[in-house]
Amino acid sequence: MRALLSVTDKTGIVELAKNLNSLGVELVSTGGTYKKIKENGIDVTEIDKITNFPEILEGRVKTLSPYVHGGILYKRDNEKHVNTINELNIKPIDIVVVNLYEFQKALEKGNPDDIIENIDIGGPSMVRSAAKNHKDVLIITDPKDYDELIDRLKNDNIDLAYRQKLAMKAYNFTAFYDSVIARYFSNLTGEESIYKTYGFEKESDLRYGENPGQKAALYNDPFVKGLMENIEVIHGKEMSYNNFNDLNPAIELAEELGENAVVALKHQSPCGVAVGDNVYDSYIKAFECDSQSIFGGIVAVNGVVDEKAAEKMHEIFLEIIAARDFTDEALNILTKKKNVRLVKVDYFNELVTEEVKYLNGKVLIQDKDNGEDEINVVTNKKPTDDQIKDMLFAQKVVKYVKSNAIVVVKDMKTLGCGAGQQSRVWALESIKDHFKDRDFTGSVLGSDAFFPFPDTVEIAHEMGIDAIIQPGGSIKDQDSIDKCNEYDMSMVFSKSRHFKH
């Protein structure tokens, strides 16, 4: 039996070589792997003794040879294949241990020449050849599989199911590797082909999905350094599927609103959002928006949680508190509760540029809703500068509220978020009915889409709302404009719709 070892990640390779050698397996190796094995006193043959040809082009060509691929790909139970191999004096290769050039690391460093040189050619070719002929050849691409390989060889326990599992891992490995390269060239050229590739690397299994009967896992997208890329859970229980799912929009909105923003979120929709003079001020304002819904929710802070803010947060049960950082005094307070998850977020990471939604056999891909809202006054009365600030704040928030969505804002804090209603009027009525004693005088209203009728304006007027921002675009826009003029309200068309389903 003969094994070919050619790895970039040399974790465990010396121990593997020793074990294979002790089992009587002849070793063939390449470049740095050969040197590593040889310098540890293990008997190994260099690849050019097999190919009868030296490595050329700075290592670009070393294993692309019939003496390698013929030894891997021939069918052991096919007489014609066996005769061909014997006639050409090609020796069999029964085990292939390969992992690939570190393209991702080269990508992170950003040197264009280095990126191209780290596109592996020979490695994926050997992996695919061995995986194709898995019935006769064992293909190992993961150092974590070395121990099982040796154990099975020692116990003569190499069955077809094991071979197929290794082939599955091998093809997933090369597909993942190629997907990263494909995305690099798409980004480089700004072009897309008819094929869209994503490569995800499993980070961990989760206890369950949205409900206990659903399996779930967390995967990492190595091509995107987004806000969720290097979050750090520094205290509390293990994160769940729902925790990750809710944390994402909370920190996205906090990032978009900037310094000192606090976002309280429950079940994928904000329930209280504010930007104050400091984190404590912002939290108090966000809490006051909906002190009931925030219970058991998520709080995202674009800033550092200090002792004063921590004391207030500690007063109620929160699933997650996510922030840029926590002072030592804040940690002393918040860690008294064993179950609250404290998460550190790098708000300086890049934002993702697209969203992917998997349907039942189809996939939807769209750009992220990162457009800026305009201020086009369409009424006789103009909004004040402070109202315009509140309007733009409202439209940032409304992007994260499930449609149909209405957000009411005053002084850079939400007074109500109406989410997920079949009617935009109902969304506003839900705010009005839920906060019966709240003073909405002088507030502004933000809407995710246009008003088909003036009834929303009528209810807003009843509540004391003084200004409205909405995209416009209805054939009955003038009806809403006329109603605002009748009530001496201002209205602004933003030109940007913000549906979130």
Side-chain angles (χ1 to χ4, degrees), residues 259-263 272-289 301 304-306 308-310 312-313 410-414:
E259 188 76 20
N260 293 330
V262 170
V263 176
V273 184
V275 177
D277 295 331
N278 51 59
V279 169
Y280 173 81
D281 183 40
S282 298
Y283 175 73
I284 294 298
K285 290 175 177 177
F287 175 83
E288 288 172 346
C289 174
V301 179
V304 178
V305 176
D306 60 14
K308 190 177 180 182
K312 294 302 293 184
M313 293 176 183
K410 187 176 182 181
D411 299 329
M412 299 293 281
K413 70 175 183 179
T414 55

Side-chain angles (χ1 to χ4, degrees), residues 24-83:
V25 178
E26 179 187 348
L27 304 181
V28 178
S29 193
T30 65
T33 310
Y34 168 81
K35 292 176 183 176
K36 184 82 172 178
I37 295 171
K38 189 72 174 177
E39 69 188 17
N40 279 273
I42 303 167
D43 189 23
V44 60
T45 301
E46 197 164 9
I47 192 70
D48 59 9
K49 301 297 191 295
I50 303 300
T51 61
N52 298 314
F53 206 90
E55 293 185 16
I56 62 171
L57 306 179
E58 298 176 309
R60 281 190 168 198
V61 179
K62 52 191 173 189
T63 59
L64 297 171
S65 164
Y67 287 97
V68 173
H69 289 274
I72 295 171
L73 278 166
Y74 84 95
K75 296 178 181 179
R76 273 63 168 173
D77 58 358
N78 184 303
E79 186 177 351
K80 288 184 179 180
H81 283 207
V82 173
N83 289 339

Side-chain angles (χ1 to χ4, degrees), residues 253 257 270 273 393-401 407 414 417:
L253 177 52
L257 292 174
V273 184
F393 175 89
Q395 290 305 88
K396 288 183 183 297
V397 176
V398 85
K399 290 196 298 185
Y400 293 85
V401 179
V407 173
T414 55
C417 301

